[in-house]
């Protein structure tokens, strides 16, 4: 059988899922699943947010048309989807490692964006053949030639190689299918050699345990083989395996060049890490596939049930989510203010938001989330080293010799006219410029920025000052020393450990002020005045007061309109749902995120 393994890469919203659907449809693969708008995006949340989180491969049969001069020749295509967001960059690189080529999609009305460039370089680094596709040419604002020229200028792919297409109308799809055959190399690798297979994704199945999504690079694997995982040395027995059609199709073996799934009685998804190499214990390869990195959370936040009774329910929900997400971590944590909860780790902010939303929606939990934090490396005055991502656990200033924080390399693509304001924003965030490249009338800025500085509202600010035209991508590069301080927050003269934040010295006062003002605004008025204070090392730097006031919503209804009364009471009850009792004061969720809004 002749195989072609490829992936589609694009900037968010450039039409990857739509084009993938059109390709599936033209090869008769729709209908095997529910004929939904976007077949490749599976999770409900993905569909709502229009982003791809989990990669789902599809196997397709292609027969070349007579017009190709090779009429009737048959091919098997494996289309491997890639996640479409900066949080999932490593997963993208592993999905690409399972392919020989990519379709690099660019929206004809938008042109090259930050993730177009980053993804293109990932593909080039993996030695893949790139087929440039200028998509959405049906749009009135489309400028296909311009976009193709940008691709040439920025990525170095000749403009005349580009295929003009529309996932909406289907234009260009036959040309794309032919290009996949003509331009993407057939997989190499000896099926008679020792087994070497790359895990590019894994999912949890309630009946079969963890399913490994693999690309076999060399050798062959069959049911009953004993397989070995390189990263942890564990052995498992292959129970079943097969291909994707889409949907799981059981097969007899998988061999070099093929993409498929393996069920081997693996119970814990942490044993099935993306990027790991599988081999056979009776015929092992000596060299794993290079570049394995265990999934490592880089953003942390505390999650607490608003109702302490829900602690067990929350733990069960976290365990359920963890089954399917090796990149997500959690451990119990106790906060004096919030009680029992969990410290959770994520790949990035979007990942954190997705997990939190799923907990609330699928598991019907009301949660309080503390402000997200990064990992800090601390050297104590006594020479000991400490790694923590929890501001509440920071040692006191007199015990700290130095603190190091993670830095990212960020690339931003934007129209020329916004360069000044974006550079100013990056400077406010303690960024330093590495380079600036002109691409037509747009500019690519490369900066190094402390990761913590972009956690909160950076993306929103970037979008608003560039009127939506700037796009960004980033990766963590190293740790550097910083003048960082812990700001504590007191409510009603009690310290609220869960509200502590780590911030650069130059910003501590401004942040303290902002947080107490915001808190005074969102904490409901009480029967007595409640002071809110920010402090560094016990020294008060800002203070505000929640004024005394008795909230009596019913006072508004003079008449005896009972339904209106009920409505108001309900409204008040709803407003209470996300409150947390701290001492004698009820603090709403917004207060915990007060630190996030810099406006
Ligand atoms: P991610 O999964 O987040 O990376 O997004 P995506 O790249 O898969 O984009 P998606 O296919 O969801 O399309 C984004 C938007 O563009 C949707 O509103 C689509 O309806 C629209 N769209 C996609 N392809 C075309 C096209 O060829 N023409 C037009 N006019 N609109 C398109």
């Amino acid at each position: 059988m002749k195989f072609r393994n490829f992936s589609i890469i694009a900037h968010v919203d450039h039409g990857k899922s739509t084009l993938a659907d059109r390709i599936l449809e033209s090869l008769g693969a729709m209908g095997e699943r529910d004929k939904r708008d976007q077949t490749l995006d599976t999770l409900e949340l993905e569909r709502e947010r229009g982003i791809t989180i989990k990669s789902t491969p599809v196997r397709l049969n292609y027969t070349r048309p007579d017009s190709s001069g090779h009429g009737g020749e048959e091919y098997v295509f494996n289309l491997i989807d890639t996640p479409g967001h900066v949080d999932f960059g490593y997963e993208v690189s592993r999905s690409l490692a399972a392919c020989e080529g990519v379709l690099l999609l660019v929206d004809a009305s938008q042109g090259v964006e930050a993730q177009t460039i980053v993804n293109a370089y990932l593909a080039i680094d993996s030695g893949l053949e790139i087929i440039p596709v200028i998509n959405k040419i049906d749009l009135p604002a489309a400028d296909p030639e311009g976009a193709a020229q940008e691709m040439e200028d920025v990525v170095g792919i000749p403009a005349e190689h580009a295929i003009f297409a529309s996932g909406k109308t289907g234009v260009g799809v036959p040309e794309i299918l032919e290009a996949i055959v003509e331009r993407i190399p057939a997989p190499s690798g000896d099926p008679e050699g020792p087994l070497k297979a790359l895990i590019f994704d894994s999912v949890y199945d309630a009946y079969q345990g963890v399913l490994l999504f693999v690309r076999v690079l060399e050798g062959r694997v069959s049911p009953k083989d004993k397989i070995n995982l390189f990263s942890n040395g564990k052995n498992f027995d292959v129970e079943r395996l097969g291909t994707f059609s889409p949907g799981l199709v059981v097969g007899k073996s998988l061999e070099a060049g093929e993409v498929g799934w393996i069920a081997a009685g693996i119970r814990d998804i942490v044993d099935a890490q993306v990027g790991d190499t599988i081999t056979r214990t009776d015929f092992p390869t000596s060299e794993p596939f290079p570049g394995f990195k265990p999934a490592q959370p880089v953003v942390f936040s505390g999650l607490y049930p608003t109702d302490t009774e829900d602690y067990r329910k929350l733990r069960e929900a976290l365990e359920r989510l963890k089954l399917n997400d090796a990149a997500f971590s959690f451990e119990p944590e106790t906060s004096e203010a919030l009680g029992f909860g969990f410290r959770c780790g994520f790949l990035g902010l979007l990942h954190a938001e997705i997990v939190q939303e799923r907990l609330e929606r699928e598991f019907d939990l009301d949660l309080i989330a503390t402000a997200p934090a990064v990992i800090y490396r601390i050297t104590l005055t006594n020479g000991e080293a400490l790694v923590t991502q929890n501001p509440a656990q920071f040692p006191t200033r007199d015990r700290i010799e130095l603190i190091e924080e993670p830095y990212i390399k960020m690339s931003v693509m934007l129209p020329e006219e916004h360069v000044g304001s974006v550079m100013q924003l990056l400077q406010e965030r303690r960024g330093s410029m590495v380079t600036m490249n002109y691409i037509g009338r747009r500019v690519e800025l490369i900066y190094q920025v402390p990761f913590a500085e972009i956690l909160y509202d950076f993306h929103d600010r970037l979008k608003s000052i560039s009127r939506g035209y700037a796009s960004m991508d980033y990766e963590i590069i190293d740790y550097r020393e910083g003048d960082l301080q812990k700001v504590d927050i007191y409510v009603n003269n009690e310290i609220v450990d869960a509200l502590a934040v780590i911030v650069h010295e130059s910003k501590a006062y401004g942040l303290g002020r902002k947080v107490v003002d915001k808190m005074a605004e969102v904490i409901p008025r009480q029967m007595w005045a409640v002071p809110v204070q920010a402090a560094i090392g016990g020294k008060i730097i800002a203070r505000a007061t929640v004024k005394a006031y008795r909230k009596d919503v019913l006072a508004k209804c003079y008449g005896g309109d009972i339904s209106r009364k009920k409505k108001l009471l309900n409204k008040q009850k709803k407003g209470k749902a996300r409150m947390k009792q701290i001492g004698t004061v009820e603090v709403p969720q917004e207060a915990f995120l007060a630190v996030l809004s810099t406006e």
Side-chain angles (χ1 to χ4, degrees):
M1 235 171 323
K2 294 178 192 157
F3 290 101
R4 290 293 182 270
N5 301 318
F6 69 101
S7 186
I8 309 180
I9 53 178
H11 190 75
V12 173
D13 277 346
H14 280 201
K16 189 170 54 126
S17 306
T18 309
L19 185 78
D21 276 352
R22 193 64 60 227
I23 291 175
L24 261 59
E25 198 181 63
S26 75
L27 298 180
M30 294 297 278
E32 301 215 22
R33 273 194 222 177
D34 313 351
K35 189 158 181 172
R36 292 194 276 182
D37 265 342
Q38 300 194 334
T39 311
L40 292 187
D41 289 354
T42 39
L43 297 170
E44 180 197 348
L45 255 173
E46 285 186 6
R47 297 176 58 74
E48 251 166 51
R49 294 187 166 221
I51 50 153
T52 312
I53 302 162
K54 278 270 169 191
S55 333
T56 320
V58 187
R59 183 176 165 124
L60 301 157
N61 297 308
Y62 176 60
T63 309
R64 297 185 77 177
D66 292 339
S67 57
S68 67
H70 301 271
E73 264 184 25
E74 291 186 0
Y75 283 82
V76 172
F77 289 174
N78 285 302
L79 165 54
I80 295 169
D81 198 18
T82 56
H85 188 273
V86 287
D87 284 2
F88 306 98
Y90 177 68
E91 299 190 8
V92 175
S93 81
R94 296 304 91 181
S95 301
L96 295 184
C99 302
E100 278 75 30
V102 292
L103 305 179
L104 175 61
L105 236 63
V106 174
D107 183 326
S109 67
Q110 306 283 319
V112 169
E113 295 284 358
Q115 279 173 270
T116 318
I117 304 178
V118 170
N119 283 326
Y121 285 140
L122 280 179
I124 292 168
D125 291 346
S126 304
L128 304 188
E129 179 65 32
I130 297 177
I131 301 174
V133 175
I134 308 301
N135 192 32
K136 304 198 192 180
I137 58 165
D138 61 290
L139 285 176
D143 173 15
E145 285 81 12
Q149 188 57 46
E150 269 187 11
M151 193 106 87
E152 176 170 324
D153 296 344
V154 182
V155 192
I157 304 167
E160 65 268 23
H161 289 189
I163 299 172
F164 294 169
S166 162
K168 194 170 177 187
T169 66
V171 171
V173 171
E175 288 78 3
I176 291 172
L177 299 177
E178 272 302 299
I180 290 167
V181 171
E182 290 281 347
R183 300 195 211 166
I184 296 177
S188 58
D190 181 4
E192 307 309 326
L195 177 68
K196 184 194 287 192
L198 170 73
I199 303 178
F200 62 88
D201 203 359
S202 53
V203 299
Y204 187 81
D205 178 277
Y207 301 102
Q208 312 196 66
V210 175
L211 298 177
L212 308 171
F213 291 4
V214 299
R215 161 68 198 272
V216 184
L217 300 153
E218 270 171 54
R220 181 179 286 119
V221 57
S222 315
K224 300 206 176 75
D225 282 347
K226 200 179 267 306
I227 53 171
N228 174 264
L229 297 177
F230 254 91
S231 72
N232 57 20
K234 290 189 185 173
N235 294 338
F236 295 94
D237 294 311
V238 176
E239 289 165 2
R240 301 207 294 170
L241 50 68
T243 52
F244 306 95
S245 200
L248 306 183
V249 179
V250 178
K252 291 204 172 73
S253 70
L254 289 171
E255 59 178 56
E258 284 197 277
V259 172
W261 57 272
I262 296 176
I266 302 176
R267 289 287 138 197
D268 189 348
I269 199 133
V270 174
D271 285 336
Q273 296 244 1
V274 170
D276 201 357
T277 303
I278 302 173
T279 193
R280 252 167 61 187
T281 54
D282 63 340
F283 195 12
T285 179
S286 52
E287 287 284 309
F289 189 83
F292 171 70
K293 282 198 291 189
Q296 249 160 10
V298 293
V299 172
F300 294 81
S301 162
L303 291 183
Y304 293 83
T306 47
D307 182 350
T308 40
E309 303 277 297
D310 279 344
Y311 177 78
R312 268 174 69 130
K313 196 170 154 194
L314 174 58
R315 191 180 60 208
E316 281 163 20
L318 292 171
E319 279 163 2
R320 286 271 299 281
L321 286 187
K322 174 82 191 151
L323 283 178
N324 223 337
D325 191 347
F328 162 64
S329 71
F330 67 95
E331 56 182 48
E333 137 177 294
T334 319
S335 152
E336 273 169 41
L338 300 179
F340 293 102
F342 296 91
R343 191 79 187 159
C344 301
F346 310 95
L347 290 175
L349 264 200
L350 180 85
H351 188 207
E353 273 173 41
I354 290 168
V355 168
Q356 205 182 322
E357 252 183 79
R358 291 187 63 186
L359 288 170
E360 300 197 332
R361 205 181 308 186
E362 293 170 31
F363 299 91
D364 194 28
L365 285 158
D366 272 326
L367 300 172
I368 293 281
T370 65
V374 299
I375 298 171
Y376 295 97
R377 294 183 182 162
I378 303 172
T379 310
L380 298 175
T381 43
N382 67 6
E384 273 175 44
L386 178 73
V387 175
T388 184
Q389 26 73 15
N390 193 345
Q393 287 168 1
F394 253 57
T396 50
R397 189 69 232 184
D398 56 314
R399 292 179 54 217
I400 297 177
E401 180 70 39
L402 82 105
I403 308 177
E404 290 168 299
E405 60 176 331
Y407 266 67
I408 55 168
K409 177 178 152 202
M410 167 177 281
S411 82
V412 183
M413 278 287 289
L414 73 165
E416 211 172 22
E417 60 265 37
H418 301 301
V419 167
S421 40
V422 169
M423 282 173 74
Q424 194 185 339
L425 172 66
L426 284 159
Q427 193 156 358
E428 280 166 21
R429 303 302 169 103
R430 297 192 282 134
S432 55
M433 190 164 86
V434 181
T435 50
M436 174 164 158
N437 305 312
Y438 278 84
I439 297 154
R441 275 193 284 128
R442 286 189 308 155
V443 174
E444 183 190 29
L445 294 174
I446 309 280
Y447 266 72
Q448 292 181 348
V449 192
F451 187 29
E453 294 282 345
I454 68 147
L455 269 194
Y456 304 154
D457 61 339
F458 181 83
H459 195 240
D460 291 344
R461 293 266 292 137
L462 180 68
K463 284 281 175 199
S464 80
I465 62 178
S466 67
R467 304 230 176 88
Y469 285 112
S471 60
M472 61 171 255
D473 203 338
Y474 70 81
E475 62 176 330
I476 294 182
I477 44 172
D478 55 15
Y479 279 74
R480 297 182 195 175
E481 189 177 349
D483 280 328
L484 301 169
Q485 272 170 342
K486 177 179 168 191
V487 175
D488 290 311
I489 304 293
Y490 294 75
V491 174
N492 211 15
N493 301 313
E494 283 182 57
I495 193 164
V496 185
D497 54 358
L499 280 169
V501 283
I502 305 303
V503 61
H504 191 257
E505 197 183 10
S506 63
K507 299 184 172 183
Y509 280 80
L511 181 100
R513 180 79 259 154
K514 188 191 79 185
V515 171
V516 296
D517 286 346
K518 177 82 183 170
M519 293 204 33
E521 189 187 309
V522 297
I523 294 177
R525 292 182 175 200
Q526 318 280 325
M527 301 277 280
W528 61 94
V530 176
V532 183
Q533 293 150 314
I536 296 174
K539 184 173 154 252
I540 304 298
I541 56 166
R543 178 194 166 95
T545 307
V546 184
K547 293 205 185 83
Y549 169 60
R550 186 158 184 276
K551 194 171 185 184
D552 187 358
V553 287
L554 297 186
K556 279 191 202 153
C557 322
Y558 340 105
D561 182 345
I562 193 74
S563 72
R564 181 165 159 73
K565 252 184 206 174
K566 266 198 185 141
K567 217 167 158 184
L568 272 171
L569 280 171
N570 269 336
K571 204 165 149 196
Q572 198 188 32
K573 219 164 115 198
K574 254 204 184 131
K576 270 194 180 153
R578 295 258 221 134
M579 297 270 193
K580 197 80 195 180
Q581 191 81 27
I582 293 183
T584 46
V585 181
E586 283 204 313
V587 178
Q589 163 80 55
E590 295 112 282
F592 290 89
L593 300 183
V595 60
L596 304 195
S597 60
T598 49
E599 292 313 295

